[in-house]
Amino acid sequence: MPSETPVPAPERRSTASAVGVLVVTAGVLAALIAAALTTLSAGASYALLGLPDPGPITKYGLPVVRVLAESGAVVCIGSLLLAAFGIPAKRSGALAADGYAAVRAAGWAAAVWCLGAALMVPFIAADATGRPVSDVLSVEVLSGLVDALEEAKAWALTALFAFVVALACRVVLSWGWAVVTFGLGLAGLFPVIATGHSASGGAHDIATNSLLFHLFGAVIWVGGLVALLAHAARGGAHLPLVARRFSLVALVCWAAMALSGVINSLVRVTPEQLFTSTYGVLLVLKTVGLVALGVFGFFQRRSVVQRLDDGAGRSALLRLGAGEVLVMFATIGVAVALGRTPPPDGAREVPGRTELLIGYPLDEPPTFLRLLFDGRFDLVYGTLALTLAALYLVGVHRLRKRGDAWPVGRTIAWLCGCATILVATSAGIGKYAPAVFSVHMGQHMLMSMLAPVFLVMAGPTSLALRVFKPAGKSQPPGPREWLLAFVHSPVTRLLTNPIVALALFVGSFYALYFSGLFDVALTEHWAHLAMNAHFLLVGYIFYWPVIGIDPAPRPLPPLGKVGLVFASMPFHAFFGIALMMSQTVIGASFYRGLGLPWMTDLLADQRLGGGLAWASGEVPLVVVMLALLIQWSRADSRAARRIDRKADADGDADLAAYNEMLKQLSDKDTPRSS
């Protein structure tokens, strides 16, 4: 088998330094492009807002600082992705040397991310007020502006996330904590996604959701490529495996970016404005770069990966990747300038009050038919439901293709769970839920008390473990080993503890609705996404050890399962009754602010929601009890068949021994005749 000559240590260090120079060069290129393109629209932006020109330092410094922050985020998250899921860890769970090097690189990048995000705060404050940045640097002025500007708050929170990630990267030594740090890095992207163009104006629900896919795809794709090149430059182990894993991730990210980019652009511009407005031209430039990168990268990397499998191709990977990184960072510069450019006038009609608050108008009251069929597709949870259904069906197909059976009932249960999520978020229920409390409560019940019941009865973990092949003792761990590590992790064991699961499941109702938290969350689109995620996850955690097909980290005896379900019932009932008896409208200011003419009695609607919460608690109980009875019946049948097979194999030796024991006891009790 052909192979490349091993790279000497001095040359390896020189190549690794060259990757660092490449990243710095790409960042400078992105900053120059962002600053140059900002000149096309900066003046119009200030005039549109009625603000004075803040001066060149604020005007051109802001895009440069944003490029600094985003470059740090890209390299940080890409390096953590490599350490968590690219470079195989040791069997003991400790990071390998290459994984530790990637984490250290992520730490330095997180420091740059933190610095850039912190600098964004005064620049955002100066830009929003049309003042030189030097005028807002006093603590008193800056704190007042940050308190008033959501985008400044978002960057301050991002800086905090980046700071924590930087500290974590200094102490992380195990694979599990590398995964946690990677998740923390991804969470640091959320504050910025929730602000800016996409989070304001009409259709902001679609724009924000599409931006979520777009930004996550971009960061993972670009950062992953930089991390892959750094790994190759270091002469890291398992390079073909790492490259194959990244190639698949890159393809998924490119598809997500392409689709979400199209959706986001259609919200802001009409097709005829693509070439007649600055915003449209920048959008076209970004799209051209994205398409070129996707096509070029897919075909070229596929050939390079093949050469890596044959023991060559490292130099070709570095050459190809260097060109891709430069184009990618140039695209980041265009994207930063695009974020500074106001959408063209006339792209959409002026949104009304309801559309400004929830993203779309609601002209008619909810009816049974509208709740089912007058939908608005949720890009996050609608896509999640369809993707989960497709992945499960692909897994079942692979099992059957190799001759293994999989119960049809489990497939039906999974599809029912996915359909429940789809209906709860993308049918009329999902459309009316942000504006009508009773509909929101119905959505809550579907996401937390019905969808999880179906999902846990489908045994997704068991299916995945049968589909994924074991890595083997001498091979690096893969998806199957990652899944097993997650199932047996301390976090999973803690969450599935019956007391913790019960507290999360029933305590969430009281903590969310009776603490004032729901009133605050109503105005934020990202909070609605977080609430639905919480409902679904805590429901799954609660029902998994009760009726789940997959073995739980903490198995419960049959009576314990029934007791856990019955223990939750009084809390649900009391919550529903408390809502029906309350004289205070939850979220009153928000619901009144919507100005819906057909919502005249908010208290009556809240009582209806309480009635739904009270009544719907009985439905999962029936389903759970039915599932438990079926599982116990099948367990008894399996035990009986197992006994019969053993009896056939040994000639019913157990029964013969039992009869012999009875005969001996009988002989002892019979008096001997003299």
Side-chain angles (χ1 to χ4, degrees), residues 445 449 499 502-510 514 542 563-579 610 613-614 617-618:
M445 296 301 109
M449 301 185 70
I499 297 176
L502 180 63
L504 288 174
F505 188 56
V506 300
S508 302
F509 289 83
Y510 299 90
F514 294 147
F542 178 79
L564 188 61
V565 174
F566 274 97
S568 68
M569 289 181 60
F571 294 100
H572 282 297
F574 182 77
F575 170 76
I577 293 172
L579 279 180
W614 175 60
E618 307 297 329

Side-chain angles (χ1 to χ4, degrees), residues 26-87:
V28 172
L29 174 64
L32 292 175
I33 291 175
L37 293 178
T38 298
T39 61
L40 299 176
S41 59
S45 299
Y46 297 118
L48 182 65
L49 297 172
L51 296 173
D53 191 315
I57 295 180
T58 299
K59 187 189 306 182
Y60 303 114
L62 192 149
V64 171
V65 171
R66 179 154 189 167
V67 167
L68 177 69
E70 293 191 358
S71 299
V74 161
V75 177
C76 171
I77 293 176
S79 299
L80 290 173
L81 172 69
L82 181 74
F85 301 108
I87 301 172

Side-chain angles (χ1 to χ4, degrees), residues 587-614:
S589 60
F590 174 80
Y591 289 125
R592 292 195 183 100
L594 291 174
L596 298 174
W598 38 266
M599 278 293 294
T600 57
D601 194 341
L602 296 178
L603 191 58
D605 182 69
Q606 179 172 297
R607 288 170 179 167
L608 175 60
L612 287 173
W614 175 60

Side-chain angles (χ1 to χ4, degrees), residues 37-38 40-42 45 197 278-280 282 336-344:
L37 293 178
T38 298
L40 299 176
S41 59
S45 299
H197 285 171
T278 303
Y279 191 92
L282 292 178
V336 170
L338 187 65
R340 297 272 294 145
T341 305

Side-chain angles (χ1 to χ4, degrees), residues 14 53 91 100 113 126 169 181 231 254 297 299 310-311 327 343 429 435 443 456 594 635:
S14 175
D53 191 315
R91 285 285 170 180
Y100 181 69
W113 183 14
C169 289
T181 308
H231 182 66
W254 179 84
F299 286 106
D310 295 335
V327 177
I429 295 174
Q443 182 188 59
V456 299
L594 291 174

Side-chain angles (χ1 to χ4, degrees), residues 121-339:
V121 176
F123 273 98
I124 287 290
D127 183 73
T129 55
R131 300 157 67 179
V133 70
S134 57
D135 289 356
V136 302
L137 291 180
S138 68
V139 175
E140 183 179 356
V141 173
L142 187 59
S143 60
L145 290 174
V146 169
D147 186 60
L149 297 171
E150 292 298 324
E151 193 172 0
K153 290 179 185 176
W155 279 107
L157 185 58
T158 299
L160 178 61
F161 270 104
F163 180 74
V164 174
V165 171
L167 289 181
C169 289
R170 305 296 298 179
V171 298
V172 165
L173 295 174
S174 66
W175 173 79
W177 281 109
V179 174
V180 172
T181 308
F182 171 66
L184 188 63
L186 290 179
L189 300 176
F190 274 104
V192 176
I193 294 175
T195 59
H197 285 171
S198 296
S200 60
H204 65 255
D205 60 323
I206 296 176
T208 303
N209 288 350
S210 60
L211 181 63
L212 189 149
F213 284 104
H214 198 76
L215 186 57
F216 272 55
V219 168
I220 291 175
W221 184 19
V222 180
L225 178 59
V226 172
L228 174 63
L229 295 182
H231 182 66
R234 288 191 294 264
H238 305 291
L239 183 58
L241 174 65
V242 175
R244 281 198 306 273
R245 288 178 177 177
F246 173 72
S247 184
L248 177 60
V249 171
L251 179 59
V252 173
C253 289
W254 179 84
M257 288 181 64
L259 292 175
S260 60
V262 170
I263 294 171
N264 196 288
S265 62
L266 290 177
V267 171
R268 298 297 170 218
V269 297
T270 58
E272 59 270 16
Q273 292 172 326
L274 287 175
F275 300 97
T276 59
S277 65
T278 303
Y279 191 92
V281 171
L282 292 178
L283 192 60
V284 169
L285 288 176
K286 181 182 174 183
T287 303
V288 169
L290 176 63
V291 172
L293 279 171
V295 175
F296 179 74
F298 173 71
F299 286 106
Q300 292 297 324
R301 192 175 295 111
R302 185 172 61 175
S303 62
V304 170
V305 170
Q306 179 61 48
R307 292 177 61 188
L308 289 173
D309 287 333
D310 295 335
R314 174 179 169 275
S315 299
L317 174 65
L318 291 171
R319 289 194 301 271
L320 171 66
E324 281 190 88
V325 167
L326 290 174
V327 177
M328 285 176 168
F329 273 77
T331 307
I332 289 176
V334 176
V336 170
L338 187 65

